[in-house]
Amino acid sequence: MPGTLVLGAQWGDEGKGKITDLLASQVDAVARYQGGDNAGHTVVVGQETFKLHLIPSGILYPKVTCFLGNGVVINPARLLEEMAQLAARGVDISPSRLKISDRAHLVMPYHPVLDKASEASLGRSAIGTTGRGIGPAYVDKAARQGIRVHQMLRDDFASRVREAVEAKNKVLQGLYGLPPLDAGQIADQYAGYAAQLRPHIADVSRALDDIYRHGRHILYEGAQGTLLDVDHGTYPYVTSSSPTVGGVFTGLGIGPQHLDRVLAAAKAYQTRVGAGPFPTELLDAIGDRMVEQGQEFGTTTGRRRRTGWLDMVTLRYSARLNGIQEIALTKLDVLSGLNMLKVCVAYRRRGERLEDFPADLEVLAECEPVYVESKGWEEDLSQAKEMSDLPPEAQDYVKLIEDSLGLPITLVSVGPDREQTIHRTA
Ligand code: GDP
Ligand code: IMO
Ligand code: MG
């Protein structure tokens, strides 16, 4: 039975939450494989809006089991808060529906402190992180100094936490001149979280394999996006995990036979939150208009997102890196009311045409987008149900993207609600 991946093709916030929720009606499980509560996935169902940071966007369907894989970094306080908020709105978050990997790493209270201190020390070169401690948590994982979820099951968990905080206090004080954290208080707090989360702890790799063997359908939900990938993104202006396809396998402990459909969410234009290069960025009234029409403010931090024209160099790069088979094109409705749309099809650098996305940000900084133009439209798209409901100019824009990518756009999203989606066949 099929396994479907929904990942972000750009710099995050492509509408993965909406697309995951949409497809989750047909699956048995949804699994997150990387990132942490730096993610912000919005799901709109009728009058209700859900903003999910850690919990997979399948949680709204009672028959779906949700998983956080070993590749996710889990802030237990945030997870419990999110669980409580969902429970208060009548969503079942019992242990049979929400499982967290015993091998996932914990975000500790010193991680956000280190995140902010590191950003402050970078000054003008700051990355513009979400401040959630995600980078430092992955640093500790790679440095083999992390605390994993299975340790919450041990009697000596509180004393391990206390030791870890005491060790980190040396860094906070010595390196950054910050006050120490209260190790005893944190140890007690984390012991409390452990008691609450214990029933949710599972061997996620084993559980997913069982689901797979029973012929059931699993959806893998990416967080962030391809251009924020620690290896393939605009390094160092990236996140510290692998949102790209490879992250699915290491982040969940499954083999490639589990995956047979790779669908990427891509916005009909481009946004980025935080610092870093953005070749097609618009710093004019059109960019402001995209922010306003698209409500481009971060789900996690509320920051204004930077906006720009669609960049096919990055989309083709993303398609190649991830083996993307289909695109879910989101927020097409936001482009209504513009006379002319531009699409970047290549870069020009020192008189030469570049088709591939460069590794070196100094090279990228010298790149000028090569644009083709596409006629705009005035009509409101938000009620469109079929491609034929779209004005011809909007249909042409969709076709231009498909032709340039050589991939089908199987979903066109024209509003935040589940219903505001045009379904096409691949
Ligand atoms: P994610 O991080 O990829 O899940 O995306 P976010 O939820 O952070 O940001 C996408 C935002 O756009 C959310 O507020 C969605 O409700 C909204 N959205 C999703 N699809 C559409 C669409 O087709 N049109 C409009 N206008 N908004 C959309
Ligand atoms: P979703 O899943 C957009 C960005 C931050 C910053 C960089 C590093 O909602 O698409 P981090 O806190 O991860 O160390 O920050 O990555 N970033 C995101 N941008 N959407 C996200 O998640 C993001 N998660 C992190 O703004 O530039
Ligand atoms: Mg988001």
Side-chain angles (χ1 to χ4, degrees):
M1 276 294 279
T4 301
L5 167 62
V6 174
L7 55 71
Q10 295 154 326
W11 278 294
D13 301 327
E14 299 90 347
K16 298 175 292 294
K18 167 175 170 166
I19 303 302
T20 300
D21 166 76
L22 205 63
L23 301 181
S25 66
Q26 298 147 32
V27 308
D28 303 285
V30 178
R32 275 269 309 266
Y33 55 93
Q34 46 69 235
D37 65 310
N38 50 348
H41 297 178
T42 315
V43 178
V44 178
V45 189
Q47 299 304 309
E48 289 215 72
T49 299
F50 297 85
K51 292 185 186 295
L52 301 163
H53 299 283
L54 272 165
I55 297 179
S57 305
I59 197 75
L60 303 181
Y61 294 94
K63 76 173 180 77
V64 172
T65 310
C66 290
F67 293 90
L68 297 181
N70 57 279
V72 177
V73 288
I74 298 174
N75 182 327
R78 298 266 184 194
L79 177 59
L80 287 163
E81 198 179 294
E82 203 167 313
M83 287 163 67
Q85 283 167 1
L86 286 171
R89 296 172 75 177
V91 179
D92 175 12
I93 43 93
S94 56
S96 63
R97 293 209 59 219
L98 178 64
K99 298 188 184 296
I100 63 177
S101 169
D102 47 9
R103 290 167 174 84
H105 280 246
L106 293 176
V107 175
M108 304 298 293
Y110 44 78
H111 288 136
V113 178
L114 287 167
D115 193 354
K116 286 167 196 152
S118 158
E119 285 284 271
S121 73
L122 284 170
R124 284 164 55 86
S125 311
I127 291 157
T129 70
T130 59
R132 295 294 172 95
I134 305 305
Y138 280 113
V139 166
D140 274 351
K141 173 177 174 175
R144 293 145 298 173
Q145 291 172 8
I147 300 182
R148 302 209 298 182
V149 165
H150 61 82
Q151 292 178 262
M152 293 203 290
L153 298 170
R154 299 178 61 97
D155 292 339
D156 63 355
F157 177 60
S159 61
R160 296 265 182 111
V161 170
R162 177 189 280 271
E163 283 166 21
V165 178
E166 281 165 356
K168 254 345 165 220
N169 275 341
K170 294 195 182 116
V171 178
L172 294 180
Q173 291 174 286
L175 197 59
Y176 294 110
L178 291 169
L181 300 176
D182 185 333
Q185 191 198 354
I186 293 171
D188 289 348
Q189 225 173 26
Y190 271 62
Y193 300 150
Q196 291 177 76
L197 289 174
R198 187 164 295 171
H200 296 270
I201 300 173
D203 181 338
V204 167
S205 160
R206 149 72 59 203
L208 291 177
D209 203 52
D210 287 345
I211 294 174
Y212 170 76
R213 284 174 195 283
H214 282 90
R216 305 234 166 87
H217 194 149
I218 304 170
L219 198 155
Y220 306 100
E221 180 184 14
Q224 290 80 50
T226 300
L227 302 173
L228 289 170
D229 185 277
V230 69
D231 286 278
H232 303 288
T234 45
Y235 190 90
Y237 298 97
V238 293
T239 192
S240 304
S241 68
S242 302
T244 49
V245 67
V248 175
F249 307 113
T250 54
L252 288 165
I254 57 169
Q257 78 281 8
H258 280 250
L259 193 62
D260 63 2
R261 184 180 178 205
V262 181
L263 187 144
K267 241 177 234 190
Y269 47 100
Q270 209 95 358
T271 65
R272 167 162 213 165
V273 56
F278 186 167
T280 62
E281 184 166 17
L282 286 164
L283 298 166
D284 59 10
I286 299 181
D288 291 344
R289 193 194 155 92
M290 286 174 178
V291 172
E292 209 169 293
Q293 301 277 112
Q295 280 303 296
E296 294 297 354
F297 298 94
T299 310
T300 299
T301 58
R303 287 178 293 177
R304 187 183 202 273
R305 296 176 184 144
R306 300 156 65 195
T307 50
W309 296 121
L310 189 64
D311 183 345
M312 299 309 298
V313 179
T314 59
L315 265 194
R316 286 195 304 262
Y317 177 62
S318 191
R320 171 162 55 83
L321 287 175
N322 294 301
I324 293 171
Q325 295 158 326
E326 303 165 46
I327 298 282
L329 189 71
T330 61
K331 304 192 96 162
L332 187 64
D333 54 300
V334 172
L335 297 178
S336 291
L338 293 169
N339 286 338
M340 192 62 79
L341 306 173
K342 290 187 183 181
V343 175
C344 166
V345 290
Y347 298 151
R348 189 170 300 285
R349 175 178 175 255
R350 299 184 181 175
E352 260 184 65
R353 190 179 164 103
L354 242 81
E355 305 279 344
D356 287 323
F357 196 62
D360 188 333
L361 296 194
E362 287 178 29
V363 173
L364 189 58
E366 292 174 0
C367 288
E368 287 291 319
V370 176
Y371 287 114
V372 296
E373 293 190 339
S374 184
K375 265 191 95 184
W377 59 88
E378 280 299 323
E379 292 86 338
D380 169 16
L381 309 186
S382 64
Q383 303 306 314
K385 298 277 174 263
E386 313 268 343
M387 282 307 280
S388 56
D389 296 336
L390 298 179
E393 294 84 359
Q395 294 186 38
D396 288 348
Y397 186 70
V398 172
K399 181 141 194 329
L400 191 159
I401 301 166
E402 281 186 318
D403 289 348
S404 168
L405 262 184
L407 288 174
I409 292 174
T410 52
L411 290 170
V412 179
S413 175
V414 291
D417 200 86
R418 279 179 188 164
E419 306 298 319
Q420 293 174 296
T421 313
I422 300 171
H423 297 262
R424 304 166 83 209
T425 43

